[in-house]
Amino acid sequence: MTGTRRDDRRPEDGSPVARVCVDVPLPHLDRPFDYLVAHGLGEDARPGVRVKVRFAGQQVDGWLLERLDHSDYPRLAYLEKVVSPVPVLAPEVLRLARAVADRYAGSLADVLRLAIPPRHARVEKEFLPRTDATATPTPPTEPDPASTSVGPQVVASEGPVAPVEPGGWRDYPAGPALLRALADGRPARAVWSALPGEDWAARYATAVAATVAAGRGALVVVPDGRDLDRLDAALTATLGPDRHVCLSAALGPARRYRAFLTARHHDAPVVIGTRAAMFAPVARLGLVAIWDDGDDLHAEPRAPYPHAREVLLTRAQLDEAAALVGGYARTAEAQLLVETGWAREVVAAREVLRARTPAVTPTGDDPQLARDPAAATARLPSLAWTAAREALRAESPVLVQVPRRGYLPSVACDDCRTPARCAHCAGPLALPSAGGTPACRWCARVAAAYACPHCGGRRLRASVTGARRTAEELGRAFPGVPVRTSGREEVLADVPGGAGLVIATPGAEPVAEGGYGAVLLLDTWALLTRADLRAGEEALRRWAAAAALARPAADGGRVVVVADGALAPVQALLRWDPAWFAARELAERRELGFPPAVRMASLTGAPDAVADLLAQARLPEEAQLLGPVPADGDRERMLVRVPRARAAALAEALHAAAGVRSARKAADSVRLQVDPLAMF
């Protein structure tokens, strides 16, 4: 965009040194580099702009971090050019990115790549005000701390601010106090357990409104697009139009960059979005909030693999902002915030809870087994059939949650029960439809002439029943009743309130007008028996999200969970007590030494590469090595565990060791994750 000729360049008169973070993802290069600013680039070369620099013989991208009067290095190269005069990197985001990189043993360049979306030149021109065809655009200015950002301009707040009505927060004894703290600009921290049937988006909108009324900004992160649409509608109704921006990777390059620049220019006081918004620039940040922090969509799959909850909590610490962690269930990480006193829990009184919850019944306890001996083994026991039939007779919709999508996602030999596997890659075979041909779920090869390698049998039976097969079976059982499916192929946002069957996979349950008359939770073993530290926590989270869509028991709402009532997640659902289950989970993890009670790092790679990295790392004395265990392919995984107080030392040691290996140009890389969601 802007540049000078190489043969006549001279340094800028004032602050001629530019400190740059080069976009090179090598651990040993995780530090800023100094360059000279050529005369004529001074106005454009501001902190936060994108630049091009010569590095290791190549022209690479970078971000200008700051301007200096001098450098400790005697000979410096010049900036090649300023890509754009728009300072996309806000100072508070830079500070956050550095903290996140240190926490996750990553590089600043990796975090900035997540924090700042790719440039879209055409969109950028919309934010470059010009007085003529060649005028230099004016960059965004940082807000005055004594002003309040409202709409497209910043105006000073004058006089007392009208209090925000608590609304539905009155159902929670600590709710009104939370809103008062937000309205006063105090850094309140809360872990909120939402009631069944709660309009969580409206509650978040009220909390955001209280923050904005105090002259502060707010940032809210939700798991997916459906949640973002609900929150978008709630904020528009509460704050009015053009008072917030939605930021999501699903928007596409142009719309996403436009939303990002809108936030960067402080044209709206509130930013909401999926995990892509966790680094969004917000003027005078007063509140960070996250909904359903246990959803794995909050975990970034790219290095250094930060989690949105941890990024937002870090922002709350750095900016002295309030924090709100909410959901129908509660994670062990959220429970740790409560038990350490960092946050206060916001829960409903028991009498309100009893009035709002549906009647929850398990099928595997003794009274049910006495009435229906097949309840322990049947996929849909008589209790579930009865609940569905009664709800449909009352012209109420019925929700059926099935953990697996597809028709028959897993099949086995009908004679010897041996799981059917692909002859080419040993992947599991599945049936796409009633008259379909079995095909491999891994390589998609068709196995039309399948024969069991153990007994030679050619007939197949279902091992796992998917959502489409369940819809087919229930459609035959309840003729004339509309049947809808919601899952990966098509996710429904809402359904009408009349009689109907809705078969949904976890996370795709639509909202029914007036609530569901019955919710059936099938194949619960698929969630409970996963080889995962968070299996019980995840099962309760999925069940609670579905059960929360049912009507209260006083209005005929019923939830039937096909599981043994003695199981801890089922007990928590029966009593609607996610705090009890989270405290139980956290206590068990403390005893066993698992996160979040401790900090743990996962090292995955070739055995020699993992051993080499550990040999280079100066781990804390308290560090414990667990493993190795086999990973995918020929790789293995090692776990390193330390007390939480030594987390920073562990991350620093691992990052330094990775830097040594990258400086040596080690052939095999090692995937390094701090506090990974999956460890087995």
Side-chain angles (χ1 to χ4, degrees):
M1 178 178 218
T2 309
T4 58
R5 295 174 55 191
R6 288 178 176 274
D7 53 355
D8 60 357
R9 286 187 293 188
R10 64 182 178 85
E12 184 72 20
D13 294 333
S15 301
V17 178
R19 185 150 288 172
V20 176
C21 172
V22 294
D23 190 6
V24 178
L26 295 175
H28 71 285
L29 300 178
D30 184 28
R31 62 181 180 86
F33 293 85
D34 291 348
Y35 289 85
L36 286 175
V37 179
H39 183 72
L41 292 183
E43 291 189 10
D44 289 347
R46 294 182 173 90
V49 301
R50 304 178 195 261
V51 295
K52 291 278 190 181
V53 297
R54 183 68 58 176
F55 191 86
Q58 296 181 344
Q59 194 175 95
V60 300
D61 296 319
W63 294 273
L64 201 159
L65 305 182
E66 58 180 328
R67 291 278 297 274
L68 305 172
D69 292 331
H70 60 84
S71 172
D72 295 333
Y73 299 94
R75 299 183 61 184
L76 299 178
Y78 280 94
L79 291 178
E80 291 295 312
K81 67 175 180 179
V82 176
V83 176
S84 167
V86 176
V88 292
L89 178 58
E92 68 273 14
V93 175
L94 173 61
R95 181 176 59 163
L96 171 68
R98 183 69 265 175
V100 171
D102 293 341
R103 186 208 184 285
Y104 285 96
S107 300
L108 177 62
D110 285 336
V111 180
L112 291 181
R113 207 175 302 117
L114 300 176
I116 302 175
R119 179 174 179 251
H120 197 285
R122 179 173 55 81
V123 171
E124 200 168 61
K125 292 179 181 178
E126 302 173 9
F127 292 82
L128 300 179
R130 297 173 182 268
T131 56
D132 56 59
T134 59
T136 301
T138 303
T141 56
E142 299 306 317
D144 185 348
S147 63
T148 302
S149 176
V150 289
Q153 56 184 344
V154 177
V155 298
S157 57
E158 300 179 358
V161 178
V164 176
E165 288 297 321
W169 284 109
R170 291 193 182 93
D171 293 332
Y172 308 86
L178 171 64
L179 293 185
R180 287 195 298 270
L182 295 176
D184 293 341
R186 290 182 278 128
R189 281 80 184 262
V191 173
W192 174 42
S193 296
L195 284 166
E198 181 65 88
D199 188 354
W200 61 267
R203 302 292 83 75
Y204 271 51
T206 304
V208 167
T211 305
V212 172
R216 306 288 292 274
L219 171 61
V220 186
V221 175
V222 296
D224 55 36
R226 288 196 312 155
D227 294 329
L228 184 58
D229 291 341
R230 288 188 64 183
L231 185 59
D232 180 24
L235 279 173
T236 301
T238 303
L239 297 179
D242 302 325
R243 301 294 301 279
H244 71 278
V245 294
C246 298
L247 187 58
S248 169
L251 294 175
R255 292 179 60 195
R256 179 186 179 188
Y257 198 56
R258 184 178 292 109
F260 173 80
L261 290 182
T262 300
R264 179 67 185 98
H265 282 69
H266 313 311
D267 289 342
V270 180
V271 177
I272 63 174
T274 55
R275 68 168 182 268
M278 58 184 168
F279 293 101
V282 178
R284 300 194 65 221
L285 185 63
L287 171 67
V288 295
I290 186 170
W291 170 253
D292 196 10
D293 66 300
D295 196 312
D296 56 8
L297 292 176
H298 286 303
E300 175 59 53
R302 294 172 293 174
Y305 317 105
H307 194 284
R309 177 189 56 242
E310 304 306 321
V311 172
L312 294 181
L313 296 182
T314 301
R315 295 193 76 163
Q317 287 282 90
L318 294 176
D319 296 336
E320 297 184 355
L324 177 59
V325 179
Y328 292 118
R330 183 182 296 183
T331 61
E333 286 79 6
Q335 181 64 23
L336 182 65
L337 299 177
V338 173
E339 294 189 7
T340 57
W342 193 89
R344 179 180 177 182
E345 66 177 359
V346 178
V347 296
R350 295 306 299 180
E351 59 273 14
V352 176
L353 182 63
R354 284 192 291 268
R356 295 277 293 273
T357 53
V360 183
T361 310
T363 62
D365 56 3
D366 291 339
Q368 293 301 328
L369 290 175
R371 287 192 291 267
D372 182 9
T377 57
R379 183 165 185 260
L380 199 63
S382 60
L383 177 65
W385 284 102
T386 302
R389 185 174 62 249
E390 291 177 353
L392 293 173
R393 286 177 177 173
E395 293 297 317
S396 301
V398 175
L399 173 65
V400 183
Q401 186 192 75
V402 182
R404 304 294 178 86
R405 62 178 182 268
Y407 190 76
L408 293 180
S410 179
V411 292
C413 175
D414 191 43
D415 297 328
C416 68
R417 305 297 194 266
T418 300
R421 294 280 179 177
C422 175
H424 179 78
C425 70
L429 295 184
L431 275 176
S433 62
T437 304
C440 179
R441 287 168 50 197
W442 292 358
C443 68
R445 282 180 169 82
V446 176
Y450 173 80
C452 178
H454 292 272
C455 70
R458 293 184 176 274
R459 294 181 303 172
L460 295 174
R461 71 187 308 272
S463 295
V464 177
T465 303
R468 288 210 312 272
R469 174 61 179 267
T470 303
E472 182 182 286
E473 293 175 347
L474 291 176
R476 289 197 299 263
F478 298 100
V481 176
V483 180
R484 300 175 178 87
T485 59
S486 181
R488 182 176 183 178
E489 292 79 9
E490 181 183 8
V491 178
L492 303 177
D494 50 60
V495 294
L501 289 164
V502 180
I503 290 80
T505 53
E509 301 92 349
V511 177
E513 182 181 356
Y516 289 98
V519 174
L520 312 182
L521 306 175
L522 305 186
D523 299 338
T524 55
W525 56 269
L527 293 173
L528 291 171
T529 59
R530 293 187 310 149
D532 193 328
L533 176 68
R534 304 173 186 271
E537 178 180 283
E538 178 68 4
L540 178 59
R541 188 183 72 83
R542 297 290 195 182
W543 298 343
L549 302 177
R551 299 171 181 175
D555 296 334
R558 298 185 64 183
V559 176
V560 177
V561 51
V562 184
D564 185 355
L567 297 174
V570 181
Q571 282 290 310
L573 185 66
L574 292 176
R575 303 198 302 266
W576 201 272
D577 195 354
W580 167 80
F581 183 79
R584 185 179 183 274
E585 279 284 298
L586 182 58
E588 289 183 354
R589 295 188 198 180
R590 280 199 181 101
E591 185 176 349
L592 297 174
F594 283 116
V598 299
R599 280 287 171 81
M600 194 168 283
S602 168
L603 285 67
T604 307
D608 292 342
V610 174
D612 181 40
L613 190 147
L614 288 174
Q616 298 295 333
R618 297 182 179 181
L619 299 176
E621 294 182 0
E622 302 88 343
Q624 296 177 307
L625 298 181
L626 307 176
V629 295
D632 54 302
D634 297 329
R635 302 192 302 169
E636 70 177 21
R637 179 178 293 117
M638 285 287 293
L639 299 176
V640 185
R641 178 170 61 192
V642 297
R644 291 184 62 86
R646 302 293 289 160
L650 173 64
E652 182 180 0
L654 293 176
H655 183 58
V660 171
R661 297 191 75 248
S662 69
R664 289 197 330 232
K665 296 182 172 61
D668 297 322
S669 62
V670 176
R671 181 176 183 177
L672 175 60
Q673 290 181 272
V674 175
D675 288 346
L677 285 182
M679 291 180 293
F680 307 110

